């Protein structure tokens, strides 16, 4: 049905990986999780990369691994929360495939991220109040990148992942026809 890459973008814990997996299965596309590819390439966890080599190094590797998919067609790639906010990556993504932003409110992100801090070095050591401030600040920085996506989905409006995936598929049919 689609012969270009799909890139799922959005803040940490917006559901890129779990929704991406389901969507890829539904569309019969190969699913790739960019963070996981970075860990395989570097043979280190994201946490260790941040700790030992720093965020700048991580961003360089992230952009390099992202670009390694520019020749691929029909991969569905779940990006990291910061990927499109660095190194013209949003242009790279928009030129190379279809970008989909899984948009969620800051309140919802806070709820979702509270239980999911440990594997995310940018927030691992933050208290609840600090986490809330972090989300508010980062969203201010990042929203203008996320909003450049070709398809923006209000993910909070869906009660189930299946409904969300079904809606995205319908939107894609509209776009592709
Ligand atoms: C990051 C998000 C993470 C991961 C890294 C940095 C960010 O990915 O790439 O910890 O800057 O928002 P997820 O969005 O999959 O958590």
């Amino acid at each position: 049905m689609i012969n270009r890459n799909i890139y799922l973008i959005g803040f940490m814990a917006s559901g890129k990986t779990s929704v991406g997996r389901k969507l890829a299965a539904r569309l019969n596309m190969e699913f790739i999780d960019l963070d996981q590819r970075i860990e395989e390439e570097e043979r280190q966890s994201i946490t260790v990369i941040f700790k030992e080599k720093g965020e700048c190094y991580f961003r360089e590797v992230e952009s390099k691994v992202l670009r390694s998919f520019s020749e691929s067609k029909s991969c569905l790639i779940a990006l990291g929360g910061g990927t499109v906010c660095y190194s013209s990556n949003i242009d790279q993504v928009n030129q190379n495939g279809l970008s989909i932003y899984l948009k969620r409110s800051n309140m919802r992100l806070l709820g979702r991220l509270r239980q999911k801090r440990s594997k995310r070095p940018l927030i691992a050591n933050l208290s609840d109040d600090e986490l809330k401030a972090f989300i508010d600040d980062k969203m201010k920085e990042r929203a203008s990148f996320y909003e450049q996506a070709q398809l923006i989905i209000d993910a909070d409006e869906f009660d189930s992942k299946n409904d969300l995936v079904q809606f995205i598929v319908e939107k894609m049919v509209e776009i592709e026809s």
Side-chain angles (χ1 to χ4, degrees), residues 7-152:
Y7 297 92
L8 273 191
I9 73 179
F11 207 80
M12 288 180 259
S14 54
K16 301 179 295 290
T17 301
S18 59
V19 172
R21 245 181 240 293
K22 267 189 184 289
L23 186 60
R26 178 74 195 274
L27 299 170
N28 208 11
M29 295 174 82
E30 182 185 354
F31 175 73
I32 289 157
D33 181 76
L34 193 74
D35 283 338
Q36 196 187 324
R37 282 299 172 105
I38 293 168
E39 291 182 329
E40 285 163 13
E41 188 100 344
E42 292 292 296
R43 297 198 185 88
Q44 274 181 327
S45 69
I46 304 276
T47 302
V48 173
I49 300 171
F50 265 76
K51 202 164 151 200
E52 292 187 355
K53 297 176 177 150
E55 183 173 353
C56 281
Y57 178 83
F58 172 79
R59 296 299 172 195
E60 279 170 29
V61 178
E62 182 178 46
S63 298
K64 191 186 82 193
V65 177
L66 173 70
R67 278 163 179 72
S68 72
F69 295 105
S70 54
E71 297 302 314
S72 317
K73 298 256 185 286
S74 64
C75 289
L76 194 152
I77 308 165
L79 303 184
T83 314
V84 295
C85 312
Y86 295 87
S87 312
S88 318
N89 287 342
I90 187 63
D91 299 328
Q92 158 73 22
V93 159
N94 280 337
Q95 282 157 20
N96 196 250
L98 174 69
S99 56
I100 304 178
Y101 172 27
L102 289 187
K103 185 172 184 173
R104 293 193 184 271
S105 68
N106 291 9
M107 278 305 282
R108 189 60 91 84
L109 289 170
L110 178 62
R112 293 170 66 92
L113 269 175
R114 269 211 183 108
Q115 302 95 27
K116 295 183 180 169
R117 264 173 276 206
S118 67
K119 287 188 181 156
R120 294 182 162 102
L122 290 174
I123 57 169
N125 300 316
L126 303 186
S127 67
D128 281 1
D129 284 350
E130 288 167 338
L131 180 60
K132 183 178 180 311
F134 174 90
I135 294 170
D136 291 346
D137 287 351
K138 277 283 174 212
M139 276 304 281
K140 276 192 201 126
E141 263 175 58
R142 291 181 171 184
S144 66
F145 294 97
Y146 295 152
E147 302 276 347
Q148 291 178 55
Q150 290 148 341
L151 182 55
I152 298 178

